[in-house]
Amino acid sequence: MFNPFSHLIPERQTTQDAAFPSSLQVSDEALALKALIHGQQLSAVFQPLLDCRAHSYMGFEGLIRGPENHPLHSPDALFGAARRNQMGLELEYACLQTILIAFAHLRLPGKLFVNASPACLLDPRFKDVENQTFMRHLGLPPSRIVIEVTENQDITDFPEIQSTLAYLRSLGFQIAIDDLGEGFSNLRMWSEIRPEYVKIDRHFITGIGQDDLKFQFVKAMQDLAETCSAHIIAEGIETATDLQTVRDLGIAHGQGFFIARPHASPLKSPNQEVLDMLCSRRVAVFPQAIASSSITTARTLLHYIEPIAHHADNDQVFLRFESDPQLEVLPVVEGDIPVGLINRHTLIDRFSRPFRRELYGKKPCTLFMDPAPLVVDENATVQELGLILSRAARHYLFDGFIVTCQGRYTGVGSGHDLMALITEMQISAARYANPLTQLPGNVPINEHIDRLLKAGVRFAACYADLDNFKPFNDVYGYRRGDDVIQLLGQILVEVADARLDFVGHIGGDDFLILFQSNDWEARCARALKMFDEQVMPFFNAEDLERGGLIGENRRGEVVLHPLPALSIGALIAESCYYESHHEISTAAAEAKKQAKKQRGSSLFIERRRPISQNLPHHDGNPPDLILAS
């Protein structure tokens, strides 16, 4: 077969003689790498890229492997060896050749994504006409190739790379950038390169269904991609929940182990589990709607700074600060245990005095460090951190804090970032969450209802409200009333399935649960029972004995009010009968009123279909009423 790379890959028998005067001048690693490249011992594997809308593979990413059971089998080992031995371009060209031939041989459908470093793209040989002839010979037109620009080296000449990419686009190639979100530099790459495809780093996708911060990052990236007319590819999809969340965010393409692992001979269409997930009409409950996702820890604020050993001298510390103008503090460790923190301005101020550097430059860095820095575990919540900082000495706010995992150094956090995060959380909570329960408020409730209706999902909207709650507040006070409201919120979260069901707090003692669980009636019955059992400790013995609360009615008369109970009005909602959250909320509130007409905790299920907007009527199926003592 015609090989355009022959001028880059010498014949095997002349490799060592041509490249090296003596085998003693090269390492065993370099020789091993040369042998793999020129012995054509590299092999290609392909990982599918899923089209969530078409339910098919839109293409495959070509990846490279060394021989099985070889020290250079993994791509990390291969490219690490190439960097150490200045053989990066040689390896890249060999990988490209191997992947192109294997892709053509397997007759895989869709596009082929191939990785190329900026250095490879700028190499004149990459644009050689023979390469285009080689691809035509394989039956691979440029329109089927997406060049994935990797960020394993900095781009120093953007105009030149833009010119190269413009030429490649004129031939029909498309461009992608990899690992968006891994660093600020690839945000600039996006701006400068304007790729057709953008791959979101797997860190932000794996676990996105349970992580509010990851979800918000990815949502922002998706919004930006739509503005730039770029296609987002979500890497690192490892669970059905990850895929469902990505799908419901509107991201069209995904890649990850849940979809398919890299394989030398991959299947040409998705497996049944993936198809079932894509065809499912259930709507993902976005993570900001899950109560537990509101717990933000010090890990969120963690920023890794390479620490300095306790036996290092002050001159070494000074050089670290001098080489990095952005470095404000330097953690000091003994092994991997933090023992102190050195402030940039403190050290430089001391060194600026006459003869101080000459006197103290060779002294141990522990001389000028703070031996009692603020140290917190990575699982400490943001609220706990804020309280700790507010009670600590003022300098800790500027120096920040050291973050540990089981006592071992993992990074540092800044007081400025902590204050910014707390402020952001408070603003977000005020707009989107109830401050008493931290459950989603009216805005996310309405958004989730509209998403369910848009998806055509059949769901149950259950309006939960407490009966006789005002007399309880009058007798026991608002503080005890808040405790009961929090109890109800906890019960509703517990009976709901966080993967399918949305629990929102409308305000006061009013809650709304949007069930996609098939057993939602049993879950409601369980909530009624749990409330009746767990609310008992909130009453004193006298009220329990008389079975009610002594208080005044609206006319000022002393009466016996029943003990508070839980009423749930349930509405079976379908998009063919309801068009917006306004109609759902009105109909659910009407169902709740029917439930409140019954004494004690009760569930009322409205099964009647509306004959006009917001107006329920009988269709021969009477509503159901379930009572719970």
Side-chain angles (χ1 to χ4, degrees):
M1 180 177 288
F2 172 72
N3 180 4
F5 302 97
S6 58
H7 63 294
L8 301 174
I9 305 175
E11 292 298 323
R12 207 178 320 172
Q13 61 267 26
T14 63
T15 297
Q16 291 188 22
D17 293 339
F20 311 110
S22 168
S23 61
L24 297 176
Q25 293 179 305
V26 296
S27 67
D28 291 341
E29 182 181 67
L31 288 174
L33 186 58
K34 282 279 186 183
L36 295 185
I37 293 174
H38 305 306
Q40 298 181 357
Q41 298 180 55
L42 301 174
S43 59
V45 295
F46 298 92
Q47 187 171 30
L49 285 85
L50 178 69
D51 188 325
C52 296
R53 295 168 182 169
H55 296 188
S56 61
Y57 291 152
M58 56 83 68
F60 296 79
E61 180 179 0
L63 305 167
I64 210 73
R65 299 289 186 269
E68 288 287 342
N69 302 318
H70 191 284
L72 299 181
H73 169 68
S74 73
D76 287 344
L78 270 172
F79 285 93
R83 283 192 298 271
R84 288 189 293 272
N85 295 281
Q86 290 78 51
M87 296 169 61
L89 282 178
E90 192 173 355
L91 177 61
E92 278 199 65
Y93 283 118
C95 292
L96 181 60
Q97 176 194 22
T98 302
I99 290 169
L100 288 171
I101 293 173
F103 187 78
H105 175 74
L106 292 171
R107 298 182 181 276
L108 294 174
K111 295 183 179 294
L112 171 63
F113 284 67
V114 292
N115 293 288
S117 68
C120 181
L121 291 173
L122 294 176
D123 191 296
R125 296 169 293 183
F126 188 82
K127 296 183 287 187
D128 198 294
V129 174
E130 288 187 350
N131 294 343
Q132 301 167 40
T133 305
F134 177 57
M135 285 190 292
R136 283 197 299 270
H137 185 78
L138 292 175
L140 295 176
S143 60
R144 291 190 64 193
I145 308 297
V146 180
I147 299 170
E148 196 169 313
V149 183
T150 58
E151 200 188 8
N152 54 15
Q153 55 190 225
D154 293 335
I155 297 177
T156 56
D157 191 342
F158 272 103
E160 187 176 2
I161 200 76
Q162 287 171 333
S163 173
T164 298
L165 295 179
Y167 169 74
L168 292 172
R169 283 187 170 109
S170 71
L171 298 176
F173 294 97
Q174 290 183 304
I175 307 301
I177 61 171
D178 197 12
D179 297 334
L180 179 67
E182 191 178 50
F184 288 109
S185 56
N186 56 21
L187 289 176
R188 183 184 176 187
M189 281 180 65
W190 190 352
S191 170
E192 298 280 1
I193 292 175
R194 304 294 173 91
E196 284 78 18
Y197 296 92
V198 177
K199 286 190 167 184
I200 300 179
D201 183 64
R202 60 182 296 111
H203 167 79
F204 294 98
I205 300 299
T206 303
I208 186 176
Q210 294 82 34
D211 192 309
D212 182 27
L213 195 61
K214 288 182 180 181
F215 175 83
Q216 295 299 338
F217 268 120
V218 173
K219 188 173 183 296
M221 293 176 194
Q222 168 69 353
D223 292 342
L224 184 59
E226 290 178 354
T227 302
C228 302
S229 299
H231 301 285
I232 286 286
I233 300 173
E235 293 186 296
I237 295 176
E238 297 191 350
T239 67
T241 302
D242 292 344
L243 179 57
Q244 185 183 29
T245 305
V246 165
R247 179 201 67 178
D248 289 357
L249 261 173
I251 295 175
H253 305 120
Q255 183 178 3
F257 286 175
F258 177 76
I259 297 167
R261 291 176 177 269
H263 197 277
S265 299
L267 296 176
K268 297 181 180 181
S269 59
N271 62 48
Q272 193 60 48
E273 185 179 11
V274 172
L275 291 175
D276 289 345
M277 178 68 261
L278 292 175
C279 293
S280 169
R281 296 181 66 189
R282 285 177 169 169
V283 172
V285 178
F286 288 158
Q288 72 266 28
I290 301 173
S292 60
S293 69
S294 63
I295 301 175
T296 307
T297 65
R299 191 184 300 111
T300 306
L301 298 163
L302 186 148
H303 171 64
Y304 183 77
I305 295 176
E306 184 68 33
I308 195 161
H310 71 288
H311 52 71
D313 59 41
N314 288 315
D315 277 340
Q316 292 175 273
V317 175
F318 183 82
L319 290 174
R320 284 285 301 275
F321 283 128
E322 190 176 45
S323 64
D324 186 355
Q326 304 301 317
L327 188 62
E328 295 294 333
V329 292
L330 190 59
V332 182
V333 296
E334 187 171 344
D336 52 7
I337 306 300
V339 295
L341 200 64
I342 301 175
N343 181 286
R344 174 191 192 91
H345 302 290
T346 300
L347 180 80
I348 293 178
D349 180 62
R350 291 181 176 180
F351 267 25
S352 65
R353 300 174 189 176
F355 309 112
R356 285 298 181 94
R357 185 168 182 183
E358 290 78 2
L359 287 172
Y360 297 107
K362 298 303 179 184
K363 299 289 185 182
C365 66
T366 53
L367 184 66
F368 291 152
M369 77 176 186
D370 177 0
L374 192 59
V375 179
V376 299
D377 185 80
E378 63 177 3
N379 293 315
T381 67
V382 167
Q383 291 82 358
E384 290 170 340
L385 273 173
L387 187 61
I388 292 170
L389 267 181
S390 68
R391 294 175 176 175
R394 182 176 298 180
H395 73 273
Y396 288 117
L397 186 61
F398 302 101
D399 288 352
F401 46 90
I402 294 176
V403 183
T404 62
C405 177
Q406 297 181 347
R408 302 181 184 280
Y409 172 79
T410 58
V412 298
S414 77
H416 178 273
D417 289 346
L418 174 62
M419 293 302 105
L421 180 58
I422 290 175
T423 303
E424 181 182 343
M425 290 172 65
Q426 289 173 336
I427 294 173
S428 177
R431 293 183 59 196
Y432 293 99
N434 187 283
L436 181 60
T437 61
Q438 292 302 303
L439 289 171
N442 292 326
V443 172
I445 289 172
N446 294 338
E447 289 176 349
H448 193 74
I449 292 174
D450 288 338
R451 288 178 56 231
L452 291 167
L453 292 173
K454 183 178 180 181
V457 177
R458 189 173 188 265
F459 63 99
C462 297
Y463 197 131
D465 185 22
L466 294 176
D467 302 336
N468 307 304
F469 187 61
K470 183 181 182 305
F472 179 86
N473 268 340
D474 292 342
V475 173
Y476 290 99
Y478 288 102
R479 176 58 186 163
R480 183 74 67 90
D482 286 349
D483 292 340
V484 172
I485 291 173
Q486 288 177 321
L487 170 67
L488 176 56
Q490 292 164 6
I491 289 172
L492 297 178
V493 168
E494 184 175 340
V495 301
D497 184 339
R499 299 167 300 175
L500 301 172
D501 308 326
F502 182 107
V503 181
H505 189 173
I506 299 170
D509 58 326
D510 295 306
F511 293 80
L512 189 67
I513 313 99
L514 305 170
F515 283 108
Q516 293 183 79
S517 296
N518 293 328
D519 60 343
W520 63 270
E521 291 184 45
R523 293 176 185 272
C524 287
R526 183 181 167 210
L528 296 171
K529 182 179 179 182
M530 289 175 64
F531 179 80
D532 285 345
E533 292 173 350
Q534 296 181 27
V535 79
M536 288 297 111
F538 289 89
F539 306 119
N540 59 39
E542 292 80 4
D543 289 334
L544 286 174
E545 185 176 355
R546 69 170 64 98
L549 309 172
I550 299 296
E552 293 183 353
N553 62 17
R554 295 182 178 179
R555 295 188 296 272
E557 301 167 342
V558 177
V559 296
L560 179 66
H561 296 281
L563 295 176
L566 174 60
S567 291
I568 301 177
L571 172 74
I572 299 175
E574 298 183 69
S575 58
C576 56
Y577 299 114
Y578 301 94
E579 296 183 355
S580 72
H581 62 265
H582 299 290
E583 297 176 26
I584 294 292
S585 59
T586 301
E590 183 62 34
K592 182 257 301 185
K593 291 179 183 178
Q594 298 300 321
K596 291 179 75 69
K597 293 178 179 179
Q598 307 301 316
R599 186 177 178 87
S601 294
S602 61
L603 168 63
F604 175 88
I605 304 176
E606 177 61 88
R607 300 186 188 274
R608 297 171 294 184
R609 296 174 181 174
I611 57 175
S612 61
Q613 186 174 3
N614 298 334
L615 181 62
H617 92 115
H618 288 284
D619 62 352
N621 295 320
D624 291 348
L625 181 65
I626 299 175
L627 301 180
S629 58

